Amino acid sequence: MTEAALSRADLPMYLNRLELHFDSSTSLVASDAVSVHDPHAVLTALCRHPELDYCEDLEGSLAAAELIVVATEWPHFRETDPKALAPLVTDQVLVDLRNLIDADAWRMAGWTVRQLGRPAQE
């Protein structure tokens, strides 16, 4: 099944969690948590967004995650094994804003993948 591509105009919808799971009844509330992992930029991010939770490792940032957003191009993320991450998350949903990951490999591992500017596939 092919759907419309994720475009820059769609980003606020995704990043505000108004329809992250394609359900308009979902919204970001005070109890929602955002965990961040970046192997090189945590100090900068922490200064700009101290309200977020920062994790030393990727696995720690994914504990019970409902959604993963890849927003940087570090090889660390490209080389990640989607099968190894699956047991760590609540929902296997990934939004790749950098078109970094091999979407087919992630889909074969059972993930729903959306990539910026590319058609959605199931």
Side-chain angles (χ1 to χ4, degrees):
M1 177 171 95
T2 302
E3 299 173 13
L6 177 64
S7 69
R8 291 194 186 279
D10 296 324
L11 290 179
M13 173 185 68
Y14 283 89
L15 298 179
N16 289 325
R17 277 205 57 213
L18 294 176
E19 294 183 356
L20 285 178
H21 292 272
F22 318 108
D23 175 357
S24 61
S25 66
T26 302
S27 62
L28 185 64
V29 295
S31 63
D32 287 342
V34 175
S35 297
V36 177
H37 169 69
D38 186 309
H40 303 285
V42 169
L43 291 178
T44 301
L46 182 59
C47 291
R48 292 183 181 173
H49 297 284
E51 71 278 8
L52 302 178
D53 295 325
Y54 294 88
C55 297
E56 293 285 327
D57 59 27
L58 178 61
E59 292 78 9
S61 69
L62 300 180
E66 295 177 8
L67 172 81
I68 298 173
V69 176
V70 176
T72 185
E73 296 177 5
W74 298 117
H76 173 72
F77 298 108
R78 182 185 316 110
E79 298 161 359
T80 299
D81 178 5
K83 291 179 184 176
L85 298 183
L88 303 176
V89 300
T90 301
D91 296 316
Q92 291 178 239
V93 180
L94 182 134
V95 176
D96 180 6
L97 301 179
R98 309 301 287 193
N99 294 317
L100 179 74
I101 59 109
D102 179 350
D104 290 334
W106 283 72
R107 286 185 187 105
M108 295 268 301
W111 291 77
T112 298
V113 177
R114 299 291 187 263
Q115 291 181 297
L116 188 63
R118 295 192 179 166
Q121 298 175 6
E122 299 303 324

